[in-house]
Amino acid sequence: MSRREEARQVLRANDRGGYTVPTDRLYPFQWNWDSAFVAMGFATFDPARAWSEIEWLLRGQWEDGLIPQIVFHAPSDDYFPGPEVWGVGRSPPTSGITQPPVLATAARRVLAAAAHEEGEARMAAIYPRLRDNHRWWAAARDPHGTGLVATLHPWETGMDNSPAWDRALDRVPTATRTDIRRRDTGHVDPAFRPRAIDYQRFIHLVEVFCDTGWDPARMLAASPFRVADVGTNAILLRAEQDLLDLAIRFGTPEEAAEIAGRIARMEAALERLWDGRLSHYLARDLIAGEPIPLRGSAGFLPLFAGQARHAAELAERLEEWGRSVRALVPSTDPGHPLFEPLRYWRGPVWAVVNWMIAEGLRRCGQEAMADRVAGDTRGLIAAEGFSEYFDPLTGQGIGGGTFSWTAAIWLLLEGEEA
Ligand code: GLC
């Protein structure tokens, strides 16, 4: 069977009747940014199914516009923390935090793959929900209009245990009232997963937010973890650009102007995350009021939003990293002492991040490096299958072989090659 056919089968097998789980057992619900990539993957062969992925995710959207990180459509004992720990009191149950907002970008791409009448109608129904979500980001996470949104939990960055969060996370107490019953380490080797102490802090934050009644302003004020993640901000800027295109077609001129205003502010603010000393875009610790001096794969994502000013330096950095790893792009600078090639977001290569970086490099005129990153990604998947992530030093696939978003990226990369 061809890899393409296998990729389609992974998506079909992880389909739970309209929405897709990231993988069986380890992640038995619908995850926000996973689904955005999955929708783009489905769009390459089944656009109707792609729309349904997005629509199911939006069933979990809150009235204030938040699109949760997880929607618990059906009960499962395979995952912790489940709905009872979050206690958001909604149906369907959801978590109370979010994830990088890839959805508007995905919706625009699904529409492009299926610009027939049905696509137009489904997009018209979805557009107001995306508009509300971007308004939520601005109101809940950047109430003073700085142009950078705050992230309140490492899980919101999608890069759960990145060493970039270590110091900011040190401030978070480890005390929890919840009994921590991890399920992930029963499914995969604990050495490849976040540590126990990370989990205590992750759950402590959930409890702090729960105690605010999930009120966005109180959460922002109460959170002992508050960062401007360069990845989330770059992805949001890109999503705003895609939303602007949709607003012109499905919204009003006032909405388009509102979005354009936010884009201008965000473009300027993102540039302030550039660090001349490390020649990289860095996240900012909003509590300490200082940059987080660690180069990570997220620092390449401003290219995905078309920020081309430092494109050549970033391509050079990739060239340099490429000399010490077998496959680009390691999630953490391979020359940094905190680089761990096997542990989740502390070193491994993730196909979805690679795809955004390759797109960004292409958009910013760095074709050769874009081809290299895309080629490395295809090479890893061709050799190892649809793993959750990959060891950049050996290319070994880690975390099981049937991940939806890795399959989706294979389909996207194949489409681009053709
Ligand atoms: C992990 C990843 C996150 C992903 C989720 C489901 O928590 O860190 O980015 O969305 O798994 O695949």
Side-chain angles (χ1 to χ4, degrees):
M1 197 192 306
S2 69
R3 274 276 183 260
R4 171 185 302 158
E5 204 35 55
E6 280 174 17
R8 291 178 180 178
Q9 281 207 3
V10 166
L11 293 185
R12 296 254 184 247
N14 290 336
D15 184 356
R16 294 292 176 272
Y19 71 94
T20 310
V21 297
T23 193
D24 197 31
R25 308 214 41 220
L26 184 60
Y27 295 115
F29 310 108
Q30 189 175 21
W31 259 258
N32 179 332
W33 75 327
D34 294 65
S35 276
F37 293 107
V38 162
M40 292 190 269
F42 267 124
T44 64
F45 67 102
D46 186 352
R49 180 58 186 74
W51 289 117
S52 127
E53 188 73 30
I54 297 175
E55 290 157 1
W56 273 79
L57 182 66
L58 291 172
R59 290 190 192 188
Q61 186 174 26
W62 294 16
E63 297 74 43
D64 66 1
L66 167 84
I67 301 179
Q69 163 221 18
I70 306 173
V71 186
F72 301 102
H73 292 296
S76 167
D77 268 345
D78 277 322
Y79 181 82
F80 174 86
E84 64 297 338
V85 178
W86 293 95
V88 302
R90 305 180 156 263
S91 176
T94 68
S95 74
I97 57 173
T98 190
Q99 262 193 329
V102 185
L103 202 62
T105 300
R108 184 180 174 195
R109 200 168 168 117
V110 173
L111 182 67
H116 49 72
E117 236 167 73
E118 191 202 341
E120 298 274 324
R122 290 175 94 163
M123 186 66 240
I126 287 167
Y127 164 76
R129 316 289 295 274
L130 299 173
R131 176 201 63 203
D132 292 353
N133 177 244
H134 286 214
R135 285 179 175 159
W136 173 85
W137 274 103
R141 298 307 179 81
D142 183 23
H144 302 299
T146 65
L148 291 175
V149 293
T151 288
L152 306 183
H153 195 298
W155 284 339
E156 289 199 319
T157 68
M159 304 189 181
D160 308 3
N161 65 332
S162 162
W165 317 137
D166 285 3
R167 282 190 59 193
L169 207 53
D170 270 348
R171 258 182 242 124
V172 178
T174 54
T176 61
R177 58 175 178 253
T178 312
D179 177 24
I180 299 185
R181 293 170 297 113
R182 284 177 72 172
R183 298 304 166 99
D184 57 326
T185 44
H187 299 305
V188 280
D189 187 336
F192 303 161
R193 300 286 308 176
R195 300 163 310 162
I197 192 163
D198 299 328
Y199 255 78
Q200 287 168 288
R201 293 188 160 118
F202 293 161
I203 298 303
H204 180 93
L205 286 169
V206 172
E207 292 172 358
V208 168
F209 302 152
C210 198
D211 290 345
T212 70
W214 300 104
D215 174 75
R218 292 179 60 202
M219 280 171 66
L220 189 64
S223 183
F225 179 92
R226 200 156 69 234
V227 301
D229 169 29
V230 57
T232 301
N233 276 284
I235 288 169
L236 179 59
L237 173 55
R238 167 59 188 262
E240 292 277 30
Q241 294 159 354
D242 290 310
L243 186 71
L244 177 57
D245 175 79
L246 296 172
I248 291 164
R249 294 148 77 187
F250 299 93
T252 65
E254 292 72 26
E255 287 165 2
E258 170 195 324
I259 297 161
R262 286 200 301 264
I263 289 175
R265 220 171 25 239
M266 294 179 71
E267 280 173 354
L270 202 54
E271 281 313 308
R272 292 200 294 275
L273 297 182
W274 177 259
D275 186 272
R277 206 172 49 87
L278 291 188
S279 291
H280 210 70
Y281 287 98
L282 302 180
R284 209 176 158 74
D285 185 330
L286 295 173
I287 292 181
E290 56 191 31
I292 299 172
L294 196 134
R295 297 189 194 106
S297 56
F300 298 102
L301 291 176
L303 301 171
F304 185 56
Q307 301 287 96
R309 193 173 307 170
H310 301 290
E313 285 152 282
L314 291 171
E316 261 168 51
R317 168 84 47 221
L318 286 166
E319 189 78 52
E320 180 199 313
W321 285 13
R323 286 194 285 273
S324 53
V325 297
R326 186 159 140 196
L328 289 170
V329 177
S331 38
T332 297
D333 180 348
H336 195 280
L338 292 175
F339 170 74
E340 287 184 74
L342 293 175
R343 200 185 283 276
Y344 226 46
W345 292 96
R346 300 180 79 84
V349 176
W350 293 74
V352 290
V353 177
N354 275 17
W355 179 78
M356 291 187 286
I357 293 174
E359 279 266 311
L361 286 162
R362 224 176 284 291
R363 187 172 173 192
C364 295
Q366 299 292 330
E367 285 289 330
M369 189 47 80
D371 289 345
R372 166 125 181 237
V373 171
D376 280 9
T377 316
R378 269 199 302 271
L380 289 168
I381 301 173
E384 296 284 312
F386 308 101
S387 297
E388 185 175 16
Y389 52 92
F390 301 87
D391 177 344
L393 301 182
T394 65
Q396 184 202 346
I398 312 167
T402 54
F403 264 77
S404 298
W405 65 2
T406 311
I409 294 302
W410 177 268
L411 295 171
L412 286 172
L413 289 172
E414 261 200 343
E416 278 150 27
E417 199 184 23

